[in-house]
Amino acid sequence: MTTSKIPGWSPNTDLLLRHVFPTFDEDCPPSSGKPSRHIAKGPAVHGSHGGFDIIDHAFGYKFPSALLKELQSHGWVDTPTNGGRGKLSPARTKMDVDLSNIFIASVNDFLGSDVSDNVDASRSNWGSSGVRGDESAFIPRKDRSDALEFSLRYPALHHLISSIEDTAIQRLGTKKEVRERYGEDHEKYSMKEKPSPAFVFDTSLTSVQVAKFPGDGRAGYPRHCDRGNSCLVDTARSDEGGKGMERILTFVYYLTPPDWDADSDGGALRLFSPIGEVSKSDTALLAKESNYDTCFDVIPYSDRMVVFRSDLIEHQVMPSFRRDRMAVTVWLYGRAISSRNEATKINFTDNSSNQTFEDAKVDRDEVFRSPPPLALPSNNFREKTVFVAIPSYRDKETWPTIKSLIQMARYPGRVYIGVVWQVDTKSQQEMDMFTSGKDIITTLKSSHWENTKNLRSIIVGYTQSTGPCYARYLAQTLHRGEDYVLQIDSHMRFRPNWD
C-alpha cells in the first residue's frame, strides 16, 4: 500500500501529542475578534506547550487552492460568482440538538404521535441562541468507503485524509496497526524504528467536515471540547479494555486566502491550556491562583495545519472579518494507551532526517524544542524595515534559509537581504547552483517579497575568501539604512512571526 506523509511532522509533534503538561502564567484575554497576545507559559515548562502542534506549509502553497476548487467542483462549496453555500448548511451546537429533542418530545406528548420526521429543527427560529453562525457539512463515510473510487473523484481531499491517517498511525499507532495497514515488508517505515505507541486508532470512524465561517465579524464557535464533557478529565489509560473509540486527535487544515491578515481578517483558533494531566501538587498550586486560564491564538494562515488532542484541548473559533474563513477538519477516533512516564523513556527515529533521539531521562524543559509562532507585539512595527546580512561560503542551504526567512516573516515586504556569495566564479554551473535560486524565487512570488528589490548580493571568488569576518563586513556594506539589522549564518530556519 502506498503511504502518504504530512511534511513538517517532527518528533516534537509526537511528544506534544503524547505528553500534555499544564501551562499557566497570564489570563486569557476577553473573547473578541482580535488575536491574543498571550502565549501559555508555566513554571514547569517555560515557553513550551503540550497537547497541540502547528505545522506550516503542510502540503505546499498550491494545495489549498486546488483542494478548494475540488470541493467547489463537487458542489460542497459554491463559487464566489454563484453565491450561496453549496452543500454547506448552518451548523448547530449541542444546545440546538438538545432543544430540538425537548421540543419534539413535548409535541409528541401533546399530540400523542411521533412528529420528528416533519420537524426541521435546524431551520426553526427557537433555539437560535445556540447557532454558531458557521456553515458546514460532513463528507459521508460511505462516500469514502471505496478508497480507489474516492481518490479518483477527490484526489486532493483523499491525499489530505490519507496523509493524516498514515502519519498518525506510523508515528503514534501500534505496530499491529502498521502491519495491518501496510504489510510486514513496508519499505518506507522500519518497524525497528517504530516509537512506542500512544494511541489505538480506528480509521473506519474517521470523520471529515468542511466548514466556512462568514467574515461578518459575528460568526464564531464558543469554547468547547471535541469530546464533550471529557475534556480536562485525566482518564485512566490501559493497553487492554477501556472505553470505546472516541475522537482522539483533531486536525484543522486552512483554505484561507494566501494574504490572510491576523488583525484585519481575524478568525483565530484559540486553544486553551490543558489541565487534564496536572499532578496533585500542580492542582494545589492552580487552586491558589485566582486566574490560571491561559490560551494561545492560532492564526488561520493558508496551508497551515493545526493538530491537537480532542480529549484534552478546549478551543474556540474567534470571529472573522472581511472574508470567509474556510477549513477542512479531520477527526481521528481511538483511545490513548500511553503513560505520562513515557516522557522519560524516549527512543525513536525521525525518518525525515535519520536522526535518532535516545535519552535515558529527558528534562521537560528540553523536550519541547519546536515553539509555536511568536505572539505579535502590541505596538505596530509593520512599517519598520529589517536588513538581514548573510555571508555564504559555497553553501547549498543559503536559498532554503532565505525561503524560511521570507515565508516565516509576518511582513516579508519590509525584509531586505544582503548576501555575500563566496563561490567558484570560474564555474558557471557552480554559480547557478549556489546563487540563482530560481525554484525558490518562484515559490516566494506570493509572499509580497521581490528578489529584484529586496535582495542585494556581492559575489566573491572562494579562493579570495579570508574567513567569516571579512565576509560579514562585506555583507554589512549592503545595508541601506533599514531600521533593524540581523546578522545570521547561511544555514538557518526561522520561527513564524520572527520579524
Side-chain angles (χ1 to χ4, degrees):
M1 177 180 177
T2 302
T3 63
S4 303
K5 182 180 179 182
I6 300 175
W9 187 291
S10 69
N12 286 328
T13 308
D14 297 333
L15 287 167
L16 292 170
L17 296 177
R18 287 167 177 268
H19 312 289
V20 181
F21 301 110
T23 56
F24 50 96
D25 236 10
E26 303 179 14
D27 303 340
C28 222
S31 296
S32 66
K34 299 301 180 183
S36 166
R37 306 301 182 188
H38 302 265
I39 296 181
K41 303 177 185 177
V45 192
H46 293 284
S48 70
H49 65 277
F52 77 93
D53 199 13
I54 303 168
I55 302 173
D56 282 311
H57 316 294
F59 294 95
Y61 72 101
K62 294 182 178 179
F63 188 79
S65 60
L67 178 54
L68 183 58
K69 290 179 181 178
E70 182 176 282
L71 295 171
Q72 290 172 338
S73 66
H74 288 278
W76 290 100
V77 182
D78 213 330
T79 59
T81 55
N82 294 337
R85 61 172 68 100
K87 297 180 183 179
L88 305 184
S89 59
R92 296 195 299 160
T93 64
K94 187 176 184 297
M95 180 188 299
D96 293 325
V97 177
D98 293 341
L99 288 174
S100 173
N101 293 336
I102 294 172
F103 175 78
I104 293 174
S106 301
V107 174
N108 287 342
D109 291 340
F110 180 75
L111 298 179
S113 61
D114 188 356
V115 298
S116 57
D117 292 337
N118 299 319
V119 177
D120 184 3
S122 66
R123 305 285 183 180
S124 61
N125 293 325
W126 57 267
S128 60
S129 61
V131 176
R132 308 192 302 252
D134 59 316
E135 301 164 358
S136 63
F138 282 90
I139 308 295
R141 290 192 180 99
K142 59 184 176 65
D143 290 358
R144 298 183 280 113
S145 59
D146 188 328
L148 178 59
E149 180 182 352
F150 185 72
S151 66
L152 295 176
R153 292 185 61 205
Y154 296 92
L157 184 59
H158 173 74
H159 179 66
L160 175 70
I161 299 170
S162 61
S163 296
I164 289 173
E165 292 180 339
D166 288 347
T167 304
I169 289 176
Q170 290 179 7
R171 304 296 306 189
L172 301 170
T174 65
K175 289 185 177 181
K176 179 181 179 182
E177 289 176 298
V178 175
R179 293 193 189 98
E180 291 177 349
R181 191 174 178 90
Y182 312 108
E184 293 283 351
D185 301 323
H186 181 41
E187 296 180 358
K188 294 185 179 181
Y189 191 76
S190 171
M191 298 301 294
K192 293 181 180 180
E193 298 169 350
K194 177 76 178 72
S196 57
F199 308 103
V200 174
F201 294 105
D202 185 349
T203 55
S204 68
L205 298 177
T206 299
S207 58
V208 182
Q209 183 191 60
V210 181
K212 177 178 74 173
F213 284 83
D216 56 10
R218 298 189 305 273
Y221 198 155
R223 180 172 177 172
H224 67 286
C225 175
D226 283 350
R227 285 267 292 267
N229 294 329
S230 298
C231 259
L232 311 184
V233 176
D234 189 8
T235 56
R237 298 177 177 178
S238 171
D239 289 325
E240 300 178 0
K243 297 182 179 180
M245 299 296 186
E246 298 183 80
R247 287 178 176 176
I248 192 68
L249 292 179
T250 301
F251 295 78
V252 184
Y253 182 70
Y254 294 112
L255 308 180
T256 50
D259 60 343
W260 190 271
D261 183 81
D263 295 318
S264 301
D265 291 302
L269 174 66
R270 178 163 293 176
L271 302 174
F272 292 88
S273 178
I275 61 173
E277 296 188 353
V278 183
S279 66
K280 291 182 178 180
S281 60
D282 287 338
T283 302
L285 179 60
L286 284 173
K288 296 179 181 179
E289 298 288 332
S290 58
N291 295 301
Y292 61 83
D293 200 12
T294 59
C295 63
F296 180 76
D297 282 359
V298 181
I299 307 303
Y301 293 129
S302 179
D303 198 31
R304 167 174 278 186
M305 175 175 283
V306 184
V307 54
F308 58 88
R309 289 282 296 272
S310 311
D311 57 336
L312 293 173
I313 301 294
E314 289 191 339
H315 51 286
Q316 175 181 358
V317 178
M318 311 306 291
S320 302
F321 309 97
R322 297 198 309 174
R323 295 177 288 184
D324 296 341
R325 173 191 184 274
M326 290 290 306
V328 175
T329 303
V330 177
W331 286 280
L332 295 189
Y333 284 68
R335 68 173 187 272
I337 60 175
S338 63
S339 168
R340 292 178 64 205
N341 294 328
E342 286 182 11
T344 63
K345 300 182 296 182
I346 302 171
N347 183 354
F348 61 90
T349 295
D350 176 16
N351 293 334
S352 62
S353 62
N354 295 321
Q355 180 181 7
T356 303
F357 295 76
E358 296 187 39
D359 291 299
K361 188 172 183 180
V362 179
D363 182 81
R364 293 197 300 186
D365 287 332
E366 297 297 318
V367 165
F368 300 94
R369 296 187 181 275
S370 181
L374 287 165
L376 298 178
S378 56
N379 295 324
N380 190 344
F381 288 103
R382 70 178 66 188
E383 296 181 358
K384 299 289 186 179
T385 54
V386 182
F387 174 73
V388 184
I390 308 177
S392 170
Y393 183 86
R394 309 178 86 178
D395 192 349
K396 293 181 180 179
E397 285 296 307
T398 305
W399 272 107
T401 297
I402 294 174
K403 179 181 179 181
S404 175
L405 188 153
I406 297 304
Q407 290 186 332
M408 294 295 103
R410 184 65 185 87
Y411 302 109
R414 67 180 184 141
V415 177
Y416 296 84
I417 302 172
V419 184
V420 176
W421 306 98
Q422 300 165 90
V423 297
D424 186 353
T425 55
K426 297 180 180 180
S427 170
Q428 188 61 44
Q429 180 180 3
E430 177 166 325
M431 290 272 289
D432 292 339
M433 177 175 62
F434 288 118
T435 67
S436 67
K438 295 178 181 178
D439 294 338
I440 289 180
I441 288 176
T442 301
T443 65
L444 295 177
K445 286 184 177 179
S446 62
S447 302
H448 303 289
W449 185 83
E450 302 176 19
N451 65 297
T452 56
K453 184 180 70 172
N454 294 54
L455 179 64
R456 306 159 192 156
S457 300
I458 295 176
I459 299 178
V460 179
Y462 78 98
T463 58
Q464 305 300 315
S465 298
T466 58
C469 293
Y470 182 61
R472 293 189 188 281
Y473 159 74
L474 291 177
Q476 292 294 339
T477 67
L478 297 172
H479 179 239
R480 297 292 181 269
E482 285 79 16
D483 298 290
Y484 297 97
V485 175
L486 173 65
Q487 185 172 264
I488 64 172
D489 290 327
S490 57
H491 34 265
M492 301 184 71
R493 297 298 182 267
F494 284 76
R495 179 178 180 176
N497 297 343
W498 66 267
D499 59 323

